[in-house]
């Protein structure tokens, strides 16, 4: 039975989504703030952590920890990611469901007020954030970026995207981000925070089983009252096809080479024939039933792993594989041959059925927990919302002809190889 969310526009650029879970032991509240990808990228990455550790009302981590403990061990978190060419700063708090509190107190209202404190009243004075806290968060952010470089699979994917989208905001490089983080100051971070509050498109997710009226009142009184609000327009460049293929080989001292193939799907926006593309990508390289797994990895033993995923918000199809360098050309040729199989409709009915079942099953449990609903609805922060049941129904309705149509619009854009010496797979 479909459980569609309740969506309200609270003010220009601010909306509230309420979704009820089947087993609401907890309540999840998230503030999602979207801005153009290139607006203060370094500062926004640091803010995602800075805003979760202290605020004016709880200026030390010990004071904040005590407050969270008083809320039955609530947990607060922050992260920063991409939805197409929008940057999404996300502040989340998970707390006990009101109905399970000892005195039936309104835990969710206190949790939302705390989350608003973290966003709207950080530790700052005289137009600058706290110096020591800023430097700490700056260092932690740089360490996170460096750790990503040490994950060679993630590093190769990022380099492929930087190459593929070099002339688009999506191609923002790790080097540019690192330089920006190094250069920021307590004053520049404060100024970026002020811009964020003025220009972000804000979605508030409340997932669980709570009375939304007092939550809406708190949002109206504080979030919708931010002065000077002028929500930015969010646009993503969708390149429908590629005429020339870019190939790049970079060498590092790694025991397993990483091969990434980047394709343009032909999608014109994130909703353009999405269900067909999602099933096509899954039959192509989604699970153990997929063409890439069963042929490139298992039957031909050309790689240690080989998978494909659709980047819906940018219209990309990415194939990642770990190979021995001597097998990279053969592996690339076989990956492209399997795409040709998809385009010719030569995949089996069993492969199509297995893919659709796996995808639909993945959505069947989304509504069981607030955490599942929160993670699901966060992907819609830049557009219209669909209930999990609606997404599953669209995927179930995809036909063989739909899959072939989607596959035939796919064109190869970039081939990236992080080449190392042959040997056993590394971590």
């Amino acid at each position: 039975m479909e459980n569609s969310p309740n969506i309200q526009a609270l003010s220009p650029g601010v909306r509230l989504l309420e979704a009820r879970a089947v087993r609401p032991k907890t309540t999840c509240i998230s503030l999602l703030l979207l801005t153009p990808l290139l607006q203060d990228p370094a500062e926004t990455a640091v803010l995602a952590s800075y805003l979760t550790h202290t605020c004016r009302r709880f200026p030390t981590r010990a004071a904040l920890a005590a407050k969270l403990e008083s809320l039955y061990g609530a947990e607060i978190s922050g992260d920063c990611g991409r939805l197409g060419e929008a940057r999404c700063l996300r502040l989340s708090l998970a707390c006990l469901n009101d109905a399970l509190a000892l005195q039936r107190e309104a835990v969710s209202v206190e949790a939302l007020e705390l989350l608003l404190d973290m966003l709207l009243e950080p530790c700052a004075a005289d137009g600058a954030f706290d110096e020591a806290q800023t430097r700490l968060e700056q260092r932690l952010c740089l360490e996170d970026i460096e750790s990503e470089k040490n994950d060679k699979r993630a590093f190769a994917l990022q380099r492929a995207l930087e190459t593929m989208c070099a002339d688009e905001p999506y191609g923002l490089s790790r080097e540019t981000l690192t330089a920006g983080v190094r250069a920021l100051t307590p004053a520049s971070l404060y100024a970026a925070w002020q811009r964020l509050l003025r220009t972000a498109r804000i979605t508030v997710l409340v997932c669980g089983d709570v009375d939304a009226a007092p939550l809406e009142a708190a949002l109206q009184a504080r979030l919708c009252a931010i002065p000077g609000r002028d929500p930015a327009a969010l646009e993503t460049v969708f390149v429908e096809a590629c005429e020339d293929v870019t190939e790049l080989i970079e060498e590092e001292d790694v025991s397993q080479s990483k091969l990434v193939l980047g394709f343009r799907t032909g999608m014109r926006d994130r909703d353009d024939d999405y269900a067909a593309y999602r099933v096509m990508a899954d039959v192509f390289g989604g699970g153990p039933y997929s063409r890439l797994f069963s042929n490139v990895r298992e039957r031909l033993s050309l790689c240690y792993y080989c998978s494909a995923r659709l980047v819906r918000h940018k219209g990309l199809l990415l194939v990642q594989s770990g190979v021995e360098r001597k097998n990279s050309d053969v592996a690339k040729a076989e990956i492209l041959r399997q795409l040709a199989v998809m385009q010719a409709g030569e995949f089996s009915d069993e492969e199509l059925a297995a893919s659709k079942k796996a995808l639909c099953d993945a959505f069947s449990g989304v509504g069981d927990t607030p955490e599942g609903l929160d993670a699901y609805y966060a992907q819609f922060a830049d557009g219209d919302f669909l209930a999990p049941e609606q997404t599953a129904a669209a995927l179930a309705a995809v036909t063989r002809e739909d899959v072939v149509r989607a596959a035939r619009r796919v064109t190869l854009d970039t081939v990236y190889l992080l080449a190392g010496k042959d040997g056993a797979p590394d971590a």
Side-chain angles (χ1 to χ4, degrees):
M1 182 176 180
E2 187 175 307
N3 184 21
S4 297
N6 179 33
I7 306 163
Q8 301 179 64
L10 302 182
S11 67
V14 180
R15 58 183 180 167
L16 168 65
L17 177 143
E18 308 161 50
R20 296 192 178 273
V22 175
R23 292 189 287 274
K25 294 182 180 179
T26 57
T27 298
C28 287
I29 304 174
S30 291
L31 306 178
L32 309 177
L33 293 89
L34 271 70
T35 55
L37 186 63
L38 298 184
Q39 176 182 306
D40 302 320
E43 288 82 0
T44 306
V46 173
L47 282 171
S49 178
Y50 189 106
L51 296 176
T52 63
H53 290 148
T54 61
C55 65
R56 186 171 299 163
R57 189 152 65 105
F58 304 101
T60 66
R61 295 197 182 201
L64 178 60
K67 176 60 179 176
L68 292 171
E69 188 62 28
S70 75
L71 294 174
Y72 298 90
E75 297 181 352
I76 192 168
S77 61
D79 59 65
C80 185
R82 294 184 293 188
L83 287 178
E85 284 166 349
R87 186 169 296 280
C88 181
L89 186 150
R90 177 178 179 180
L91 301 180
S92 299
L93 195 149
C95 62
L96 186 71
N97 183 268
D98 291 353
L100 300 178
L102 292 177
Q103 305 299 324
R104 294 295 181 98
E105 59 264 44
V107 180
S108 58
V109 175
E110 282 196 67
L112 176 60
E113 290 286 3
L114 175 57
L115 206 54
L116 292 173
D117 283 341
M118 307 300 285
L119 174 64
L120 302 177
E121 299 183 23
C123 289
D126 301 322
F129 280 136
D130 179 77
E131 174 83 27
Q133 186 68 23
T134 298
R135 296 311 175 197
L136 173 61
E137 301 296 352
Q138 193 175 22
R139 176 175 62 81
L140 293 174
C141 186
L142 289 170
E143 289 176 355
D144 285 344
I145 296 172
E146 186 63 27
S147 69
E148 292 173 2
K149 185 176 180 180
N150 294 331
D151 180 345
K152 297 308 179 185
R153 183 170 179 173
F155 176 77
L157 178 62
Q158 176 62 25
R159 287 292 296 130
L161 289 172
E162 291 173 10
T163 303
M164 187 174 182
C165 305
D167 298 324
E168 304 156 42
Y170 204 79
L172 176 69
S173 71
R174 183 178 279 105
E175 287 73 19
T176 299
L177 185 61
T178 298
V181 173
R182 292 187 189 281
L184 66 80
T185 65
S188 70
L189 191 63
Y190 184 86
W193 167 72
Q194 289 184 310
R195 278 190 294 274
L196 177 73
L197 295 185
R198 289 196 309 270
T199 63
R201 293 191 171 274
I202 305 173
T203 296
V204 182
L205 304 180
V206 179
C207 301
D209 186 12
V210 298
D211 179 5
L215 301 181
E216 184 179 345
L219 292 170
Q220 289 284 5
R222 302 185 66 185
L223 198 60
C224 298
I226 298 172
R229 285 276 296 158
D230 184 19
L234 301 176
E235 297 181 0
T236 294
V237 176
F238 280 79
V239 178
E240 292 187 43
C242 178
E243 296 180 2
D244 300 315
V245 178
T246 299
E247 299 202 32
L248 175 63
I249 298 176
E250 295 181 327
E251 295 189 348
E252 284 203 15
D253 188 20
V254 294
S255 56
Q256 182 189 119
S257 297
K258 313 296 181 184
L259 176 66
V260 182
L261 273 63
F263 300 86
R264 304 287 184 172
T265 62
M267 295 176 71
R268 293 177 289 268
D269 57 55
R270 65 166 218 170
D271 297 320
D272 181 11
D273 217 6
Y274 164 69
Y277 277 109
R278 182 68 187 274
V279 174
M280 181 274 296
D282 199 67
V283 176
F284 182 40
Y289 44 77
S290 70
R291 302 293 307 180
L292 294 184
F293 184 92
S294 58
N295 290 281
V296 185
R297 183 186 186 278
E298 294 294 292
R299 181 173 62 84
L300 298 175
S301 299
L302 290 174
C303 54
Y304 302 107
Y305 63 86
C306 191
S307 63
R309 69 181 181 92
L310 178 70
V311 182
R312 174 184 187 177
H313 293 268
K314 182 61 179 169
L316 306 178
L317 179 66
L318 303 171
V319 173
Q320 296 176 262
S321 60
V323 300
E324 293 185 11
R325 184 169 184 172
K326 64 183 180 182
N327 290 334
S328 60
D329 287 339
V330 179
K332 180 185 76 171
E334 183 60 26
I335 291 168
L336 295 177
R337 194 183 79 80
Q338 292 304 323
L339 177 61
V341 168
M342 299 295 301
Q343 293 169 334
E346 295 174 355
F347 51 90
S348 69
D349 292 338
E350 291 74 19
E351 289 168 332
L352 178 59
S355 174
K356 291 169 63 174
K357 183 179 187 304
L359 289 172
C360 291
D361 286 351
F363 289 102
S364 64
V366 165
D368 288 354
T369 65
E371 294 85 355
L373 285 172
D374 182 84
Y376 172 78
Y377 282 118
Q379 68 180 309
F380 295 97
D382 63 337
D384 297 329
F385 293 95
L386 287 179
E389 297 85 356
Q390 291 174 303
T391 300
L395 294 170
V398 170
T399 65
R400 170 181 292 275
E401 292 72 25
D402 295 332
V403 171
V404 172
R405 180 183 66 250
R408 287 178 177 173
R409 293 178 67 188
V410 172
T411 56
L412 180 63
D413 183 296
T414 298
V415 178
Y416 174 81
L417 179 68
L418 181 64
K421 54 188 178 182
D422 291 336
D426 50 16

